[in-house]
Amino acid sequence: LSPWVIHASGDQNRQRLYQQSEQAVSTISNQLIAQATDVVDNLVEDLLVLDSQNPILMAYLDRFDAFTAVNSNKTEEKLHAFYDVVEDYLDSDTTGDPLRYSSIETQLIALCLQRNGFDRWKRTVQTRTTQLEKVIYRKLRKHLDSLDREDRLAVERRWKRSLTRGGQRKLEKLREFVKWLGVFRD
């Protein structure tokens, strides 16, 4: 085989990997948005039933306006808006540590989140993202065989960076990797 054929084959493999990964990230994101919308609708309903004029609860309810204002077709923006709403509870167990939360309002919000399936939403994110990582990596390893050493190292470094903990959410890091893979040229 000539180098041109191998290069073209590598491009096709990368493009196929990119398209499949992008579709998988999009599917997961759409499912998460649907679940997040249910959590938000039920949480708002619970907080409105309280009919409280408490400024902390009112401010928290105001956060939902930004979430509902974003069109569901804009998945990245919609997920970011949801993260903004739940950011205080995202990296913790919503059952909460009674010593951690200083106010009854934050404990009440945590209880409402738990009651409305937020822990289930977080487990779904974690499970689906981990599954997607495994699928992408399995396909990525096949693609790496078609790259020269320098390009292989660049892709591997970028992949490892997408797996590091902290900072951004795991799904967002995968989305960024997939976008990068789509524009990466060997």
Side-chain angles (χ1 to χ4, degrees):
L1 292 173
S2 71
W4 182 81
V5 173
I6 293 171
H7 191 275
S9 172
D11 286 346
Q12 288 174 342
N13 288 339
R14 186 189 68 249
Q15 184 63 24
R16 191 174 318 116
L17 172 61
Y18 165 71
Q19 289 172 339
Q20 291 170 349
S21 299
E22 184 180 48
Q23 179 62 37
V25 168
S26 176
T27 300
I28 290 171
S29 296
N30 288 333
Q31 290 171 349
L32 293 176
I33 287 171
Q35 289 178 354
T37 301
D38 288 343
V39 168
V40 166
D41 289 347
N42 293 327
L43 180 61
V44 167
E45 196 173 298
D46 283 356
L47 292 176
L48 289 175
V49 164
L50 295 174
D51 195 27
S52 172
Q53 295 303 311
N54 180 300
I56 295 172
L57 292 178
M58 297 301 290
Y60 197 73
L61 281 169
D62 287 342
R63 288 175 157 185
F64 294 111
D65 291 339
F67 175 77
T68 55
V70 177
N71 188 329
S72 292
N73 294 334
K74 297 183 177 191
T75 55
E76 275 186 74
E77 292 91 357
K78 191 77 167 177
L79 277 176
H80 283 292
F82 184 67
Y83 291 146
D84 289 343
V85 169
V86 296
E87 69 184 327
D88 298 336
Y89 307 93
L90 196 58
D91 297 324
S92 66
D93 184 11
T94 54
T95 56
D97 176 359
L99 300 174
R100 180 169 178 225
Y101 298 115
S102 59
S103 73
I104 190 73
E105 292 87 357
T106 48
Q107 290 179 22
L108 178 63
I109 292 167
L111 181 66
C112 289
L113 280 167
Q114 179 188 14
R115 178 178 129 52
N116 290 300
F118 184 58
D119 286 334
R120 185 177 56 247
W121 184 87
K122 289 193 310 185
R123 281 190 305 276
T124 300
V125 171
Q126 185 177 25
T127 303
R128 296 295 308 270
T129 304
T130 301
Q131 291 169 345
L132 180 59
E133 277 179 356
K134 289 177 183 176
V135 169
I136 290 175
Y137 185 66
R138 201 171 37 243
K139 292 179 180 185
L140 184 62
R141 279 195 344 234
K142 291 177 185 176
H143 171 63
L144 290 174
D145 294 339
S146 68
L147 299 176
D148 64 24
R149 185 179 176 341
E150 184 180 318
D151 289 339
R152 181 180 8 255
L153 288 174
V155 172
E156 286 174 344
R157 259 194 314 269
R158 187 68 181 230
W159 173 252
K160 286 178 184 173
R161 204 176 324 149
S162 73
L163 299 179
T164 58
R165 298 209 185 275
Q168 301 175 36
R169 313 311 184 272
K170 214 175 192 182
L171 183 61
E172 296 306 311
K173 287 183 177 183
L174 276 176
R175 177 179 282 122
E176 287 175 11
F177 175 79
V178 169
K179 284 181 180 177
W180 176 82
L181 188 63
V183 296
F184 176 75
R185 295 290 172 230
D186 338 320

